Amino acid sequence: MNTAKPLKKRKVNAVRAIKRDYQLYLLVLPAIIYFLIFHYAPMYGLQIAFKDYHVLDGFTNSPWIGFKHFERFFNNYQFWRLLKNTLGISLFQLVAGFPIPIILALLLNQVKQKRFKKLVQTVTYIPHFISVVVLVGMLNIFLSPSSGIINTFLGLFDIKPIYFLGKPEYFKSIFVLSGVWQNAGWGSIIYLAALSGINPELYEAAKVDGASKFQIIKNIDLPGILPTIMILLIMNLGRIMNIGFQKAYLLQNSLNAPSSEIIQTYMYKIGILQMEFEYSTAISLFNTVINVILLVTANKLSKKFSDSSLW
Amino acid sequence: MVKMKTSKGDLVFEIVKYSVLILSLIAVLYPLYFIVIASISDPAAINSGRVWWKPIGINFEGFKRIFQDELIWKGYANTFLYTIVGTMINILLTMSLAYPLSRKNFRLGKYIMIFLLITMYFNGGLIPRYLIVKKLNLLDTWQVMVLVNAVNVFNVIIARTFLKNTIPEGLYEAAVIDGCTHIKFLLKIVLPLSKAIIAVLVLFYGVFHWNEYFTALIYLRDEKLYPLQLVLRSILIENQMQDSMVSDVDMIQHQDVAELIKYGVIIVSSLPVLILYPFLQKYFVQGVMIGSVKG
């Protein structure tokens, strides 16, 4: 038997296929170049986290100095506070924010009146399209101690005005709850799509068995959307250290800093405002590594316990 | 058929269901409604807590000042430019990437997919990217606003899934027999059949550009290039009004007028998206649904 022949034939086929489809390669080229420049070149640039970066020497020629920048970060008096704030906000967000779109979708799925269902959906999606700047602007206005509607309302019960945004202890709740307000409706779409894919025969059978609505949700709906829940949970875990730099930065002020300074805002200030490029890159690399570890672990656990996984 | 009696449990469920849904309706709508009525009310009435359900002392002072402000108009114009040019680049690159990826016998497809997916989870971070942009001499140019986010991988996946499901392989094969090339096929057949997905992409990218302030915050120093969102930031969050907006009022009124302007700019800046929203909603939803299909 001659094994070389099919191999050769395959090669010839490959060449022929490339020739035939050369236009496909031309089509992807611009986007590939974009990714190389704006995504992969920065990944290559990550090495400056281990270097003493000089602009003239560029990424490649600057001298290596090992883990110095990382040590500096770990020894920084702010390190534990940053880590605590980042993880604290993120976990709070996950615990409070993750189940709400699921509950919303389960309830909406039980609504028989089409128009009411549509109304709730249309309205709850709206905040998703409001920009972060406007959202934070609204929070500033509503929570203002002098003219904010929340304090005016509390005033009806003889509660003295509270400067919510100036108090570190309220920061986490403001951050997370405003996020729920903005994204719960939007987040429910994906679960509603999953719910619409459940086999209607299951509901018929449950009805015949005299199941209550609560039992139907527990035994049919929830298991039906479990794979979707798991995938989204894994993706969320992979982002646990990235909690929305934009909003945190906009909500920050000198008074709430003890609880609002997170790794990403610190990284921005050090890097862009103080131009300490290598140090800031080291911090961001640390952030990414933790994210990746969490993502991989979550994916493994999910594969083991529920069969759903990202890869 | 036997009519089943609603059990006690189901009744409780119904009550809870409607209460929760109606409460969420109010929780979302009331803040938005309040902004609207506050923007045309007398600031003194707002401060003393008299504005709850309807505007009091109706006036359009805030809007008048906003429309006279140069920076806001400039920001609006810049945002329009970034949104239109940016979205066009987005669509061009996204579709030209999604089409080959949707073809079964495109041999590099699998590898390009991995190449793209990696960027969703890893990135070089802020500084290395900043240094690249600097090296390309893009700092403080309008081009940076439309180039840095030229393609979004999630949107590529949405487009690819759509093309896979709507353009059958046989259609291309038939076209080839008629002497059609890939590019011709894409332009003459695929794009006209992809109106729905292009609408979805225009919306996703368009809203993104409209609301974007992060890119500008990092790469722009020149105020003349500022998009609307950065102008908004200085008014809403940093409390910096243009002198021209409030210079003619005395210090006591100053604060009042400033509040009025804040309510107004929220409306003025969000209006374009919110007006279009009801018409576009079905496309948004469609996009998320396609995106949720694994593939």
Side-chain angles (χ1 to χ4, degrees):
Chain A
M1 280 269 275
N2 190 349
T3 48
K5 205 174 170 193
L7 206 77
K8 207 172 162 191
K9 209 172 167 190
R10 243 174 45 207
K11 247 187 200 160
V12 172
N13 279 343
V15 172
R16 202 178 289 154
I18 291 171
K19 256 191 191 154
R20 186 193 61 208
D21 291 332
Y22 77 97
Q23 289 193 339
L24 292 181
Y25 296 86
L26 278 181
L27 280 171
V28 295
L29 198 61
I32 299 289
I33 292 171
Y34 160 77
F35 278 99
L36 285 175
I37 293 176
F38 289 102
H39 291 264
Y40 281 89
M43 282 187 216
Y44 178 72
L46 268 177
Q47 56 180 287
I48 66 168
F50 307 95
K51 286 189 162 182
D52 185 11
Y53 178 71
H54 298 292
V55 179
L56 291 176
D57 294 334
F59 292 152
T60 316
N61 294 325
S62 296
W64 293 96
I65 56 159
F67 286 89
K68 255 197 187 142
H69 301 302
F70 291 89
E71 278 165 29
R72 183 178 156 200
F73 181 48
F74 299 145
N75 293 326
N76 187 311
Y77 74 101
Q78 290 223 58
F79 175 73
W80 289 107
R81 197 174 79 179
L82 291 172
L83 198 63
K84 204 185 97 197
N85 286 344
T86 308
L87 285 174
I89 294 174
S90 193
L91 288 176
F92 184 20
Q93 188 163 253
L94 199 64
V95 171
F98 191 76
I100 290 178
I102 302 176
I103 295 169
L104 192 62
L106 289 172
L107 291 179
L108 269 175
N109 192 48
Q110 294 282 339
V111 173
K112 295 287 169 307
Q113 301 88 334
K114 274 217 170 114
R115 285 176 74 181
F116 180 68
K117 188 175 172 185
K118 185 97 195 288
L119 174 74
V120 177
Q121 287 186 278
T122 307
V123 167
T124 53
Y125 298 165
I126 292 176
H128 179 79
F129 298 99
I130 291 173
S131 77
V132 214
V133 178
V134 166
L135 178 75
V136 175
M138 284 170 68
L139 287 170
N140 271 323
I141 291 174
F142 288 136
L143 298 172
S144 152
S146 58
S147 58
I149 188 169
I150 308 255
N151 274 312
T152 312
F153 181 72
L154 291 177
L156 298 177
F157 304 96
D158 279 331
I159 298 172
K160 284 212 181 82
I162 303 168
Y163 183 23
F164 290 100
L165 281 170
K167 302 228 171 190
E169 63 265 35
Y170 291 123
F171 185 81
K172 246 191 250 169
S173 311
I174 294 171
F175 188 97
V176 171
L177 292 178
S178 61
V180 168
W181 181 81
Q182 187 165 31
N183 290 316
W186 190 250
S188 69
I189 298 179
I190 222 165
Y191 298 110
L192 279 167
L195 283 167
S196 68
I198 292 175
N199 186 350
E201 279 173 28
L202 290 175
Y203 293 115
E204 294 298 322
K207 243 187 224 161
V208 172
D209 289 345
S212 74
K213 295 209 164 136
F214 189 71
Q215 283 169 323
I216 290 177
I217 287 184
K218 199 179 125 207
N219 298 319
I220 301 175
D221 288 350
L222 266 180
I225 59 173
L226 194 64
T228 312
I229 294 178
M230 289 312 291
I231 295 282
L232 290 179
L233 192 60
I234 300 168
M235 288 172 81
N236 274 309
L237 285 170
R239 279 197 293 256
I240 219 154
M241 303 289 276
N242 297 353
I243 34 181
F245 159 84
Q246 306 198 17
K247 204 167 97 189
Y249 184 65
L250 291 169
L251 273 174
Q252 240 172 31
N253 56 45
S254 49
L255 291 172
N256 65 27
S259 63
S260 66
E261 192 77 283
I262 56 174
I263 294 180
Q264 283 168 295
T265 53
Y266 183 69
M267 189 177 91
Y268 166 78
K269 287 175 189 162
I270 295 289
I272 299 286
L273 302 182
Q274 298 174 23
M275 311 266 262
E276 294 194 47
F277 295 144
E278 314 93 307
Y279 182 41
S280 174
T281 305
I283 299 172
S284 117
L285 185 56
F286 166 77
N287 214 33
T288 308
V289 167
I290 295 196
N291 270 335
V292 170
I293 292 172
L294 285 170
L295 181 74
V296 172
T297 316
N299 196 50
K300 253 202 189 120
L301 286 176
S302 166
K303 225 182 215 168
K304 198 165 165 190
F305 293 112
S306 76
D307 289 340
S308 8
S309 69
L310 279 178
W311 59 81
Chain B
M1 245 196 61
V2 190
K3 182 143 179 15
M4 262 182 263
K5 229 180 87 186
T6 317
S7 72
K8 219 179 192 176
D10 279 0
L11 194 70
V12 173
F13 178 85
E14 288 297 297
I15 293 170
V16 171
K17 180 177 86 185
Y18 282 106
S19 320
V20 170
L21 292 177
I22 288 168
L23 273 178
S24 2
L25 271 185
I26 295 170
V28 169
L29 277 183
Y30 184 70
L32 300 173
Y33 174 71
F34 183 81
I35 297 274
V36 175
I37 57 171
S39 74
I40 49 170
S41 286
D42 177 2
I46 302 171
N47 283 340
S48 58
R50 279 182 290 139
V51 176
W52 288 108
W53 308 113
K54 58 181 202 308
I56 291 176
I58 295 181
N59 71 89
F60 295 92
E61 193 58 31
F63 288 104
K64 233 188 262 160
R65 288 172 190 273
I66 290 166
F67 287 122
Q68 280 162 7
D69 185 66
E70 240 173 82
L71 265 188
I72 290 184
W73 281 115
K74 187 75 197 151
Y76 237 104
N78 287 336
T79 293
F80 257 110
L81 172 77
Y82 303 150
T83 303
I84 290 169
V85 179
T87 307
M88 271 161 42
I89 295 177
N90 291 146
I91 301 296
L92 207 74
L93 290 183
T94 303
M95 289 310 283
S96 71
L97 196 50
Y99 170 68
L101 288 176
S102 73
R103 294 296 85 184
K104 237 196 352 243
N105 38 23
F106 180 49
R107 290 174 175 246
L108 278 185
K110 212 173 65 193
Y111 303 103
I112 292 178
M113 234 19 243
I114 295 168
F115 174 85
L116 297 180
L117 287 175
I118 286 174
T119 65
M120 279 179 99
Y121 297 100
F122 306 90
N123 61 70
L126 197 62
I127 298 302
R129 206 180 204 207
Y130 175 83
L131 293 173
I132 297 280
V133 169
K134 194 174 164 194
K135 196 153 205 185
L136 294 169
N137 280 327
L138 286 171
L139 283 187
D140 250 334
T141 61
W142 67 269
Q143 287 90 342
V144 75
M145 295 299 293
V146 297
L147 286 178
V148 165
N149 298 299
V151 188
N152 175 304
V153 177
F154 181 76
N155 289 345
V156 172
I157 296 174
I158 292 179
R160 184 194 68 150
T161 310
F162 177 89
L163 293 181
K164 248 188 186 167
N165 295 337
T166 43
I167 317 282
E169 207 68 30
L171 198 58
Y172 173 67
E173 276 151 27
V176 172
I177 294 168
D178 295 337
C180 197
T181 63
H182 277 294
I183 290 178
K184 235 188 198 164
F185 183 68
L186 176 61
L187 292 175
K188 293 247 162 88
I189 296 171
V190 176
L191 289 185
L193 287 175
S194 308
K195 279 188 195 122
I197 195 64
I198 291 174
V200 171
L201 292 175
V202 167
L203 297 171
F204 279 0
Y205 283 124
V207 171
F208 169 82
H209 286 293
W210 188 268
N211 286 337
E212 168 77 340
Y213 97 105
F214 187 62
T215 310
L217 178 73
I218 291 170
Y219 303 114
L220 298 182
R221 295 282 165 273
D222 185 356
E223 278 196 3
K224 278 190 233 109
L225 294 171
Y226 276 7
L228 188 60
Q229 298 296 333
L230 268 194
V231 180
L232 282 183
R233 183 178 78 130
S234 52
I235 295 175
L236 281 176
I237 296 160
E238 293 171 342
N239 264 318
Q240 289 167 358
M241 308 266 165
Q242 279 303 101
D243 283 342
S244 63
M245 282 169 103
V246 284
S247 59
D248 55 320
V249 291
D250 58 50
M251 278 311 285
I252 302 162
Q253 262 191 321
H254 194 290
Q255 191 54 39
D256 278 358
V257 173
E259 288 297 310
L260 207 52
I261 289 173
K262 284 185 188 178
Y263 291 113
V265 289
I266 289 181
I267 295 173
V268 170
S269 66
S270 309
L271 212 56
V273 178
L274 293 185
I275 288 180
L276 289 172
Y277 166 73
F279 305 101
L280 308 177
Q281 193 203 349
K282 73 168 190 213
Y283 293 111
F284 283 128
V285 176
Q286 197 184 352
V288 181
M289 305 264 240
I290 299 172
S292 69
V293 179
K294 218 183 156 190

